[in-house]
Amino acid sequence: MFGEGSATLTIGRQAALVFSAGRYPTDVVSGSLAGRYVTAAVRLGRITVRTPATPVLSGNSRASESHSSPSATDARLEIETRRDDDVRLTVYTPGATVVEISGDFTDWRPVALSRSPTTADAWVASLRIPRGIHRINVRRDGGPWMAPGGTTRSADDYDGEVGVFILP
C-alpha cells in the first residue's frame, strides 16, 4: 500500500507552511526501495486562497463546446489499461502540433506523445504506470501545463491545477 497527503497552513498574506507525509512502493524499474517520508516547508510569496476545483467527469464523447482558439483546456485524456502495469494514454486535442504529458508517474518530467496514425487529433503514449491514484498535466504546443479533461481537477501546491485519475 502507498499514498500521500499534504496540508497547507496560511500564516499570512506572504507565507504559508506546507506539511506532507506518505509512503511510496518499491520500483524495480528505477531501483528505488519502498519507504516513508515526512516533510515540512515554508512558502514565501503571494499566497491566494483558492476555492476547490470543479471535478470534470470522464466520458467517451468529445467535448461539444467550441472555442475561438485551441488551448490546453481542449485536451481530453482517455486511459486504457492493458496487461501488467502497461497503460495507453490518449490525449485528444484539436489542431495541436506537439503534445506532452507530465505526471507523478514520469517524475514530473515532460514526455512527448506520438500522433496517432489512425485518429485525427489523437496523441498516444504507452507507459508502465502502477495501480493507484496519479496526477497528470498536459501541455500543447509549448503552452502552459493544464489539467486535462477526463480527469478530476485538483489544486496543486503551486497555485495551479493538476488532473487526478485512478488506475484500479
Side-chain angles (χ1 to χ4, degrees):
M1 297 292 296
F2 61 94
E4 67 180 355
S6 67
T8 303
L9 175 64
T10 303
I11 55 177
R13 294 186 56 84
Q14 299 290 320
L17 298 174
V18 180
F19 302 96
S20 62
R23 178 182 166 104
Y24 52 89
T26 298
D27 184 353
V28 295
V29 174
S30 68
S32 67
L33 298 175
R36 298 176 186 190
Y37 65 92
V38 175
T39 62
V42 177
R43 277 183 65 185
L44 301 174
R46 186 179 65 106
I47 306 297
T48 58
V49 177
R50 295 169 40 108
T51 57
T54 305
V56 176
L57 303 175
S58 61
N60 293 330
S61 63
R62 299 178 87 167
S64 60
E65 298 178 15
S66 65
H67 299 279
S68 58
S69 63
S71 69
T73 57
D74 294 330
R76 182 176 51 87
L77 175 69
E78 286 187 1
I79 303 163
E80 177 187 348
T81 56
R82 297 181 173 185
R83 60 189 172 338
D84 299 326
D85 289 338
D86 189 32
V87 177
R88 180 183 171 103
L89 301 176
T90 304
V91 176
Y92 296 93
T93 181
T97 56
V98 176
V99 176
E100 297 168 292
I101 60 169
S102 177
D104 56 7
F105 51 91
T106 68
D107 290 328
W108 295 102
R109 292 184 206 132
V111 174
L113 278 64
S114 302
R115 188 182 300 267
S116 172
T118 59
T119 307
D121 298 328
W123 297 78
V124 296
S126 290
L127 303 167
R128 293 190 61 78
I129 305 174
R131 295 176 184 192
I133 300 172
H134 294 285
R135 297 175 294 160
I136 186 172
N137 273 338
V138 173
R139 175 168 65 181
R140 61 173 282 151
D141 301 328
W145 290 100
M146 304 292 286
T151 62
T152 299
R153 294 169 191 244
S154 176
D156 67 12
D157 292 337
Y158 303 100
D159 233 8
E161 281 187 334
V162 66
V164 178
F165 67 93
I166 300 173
L167 289 178

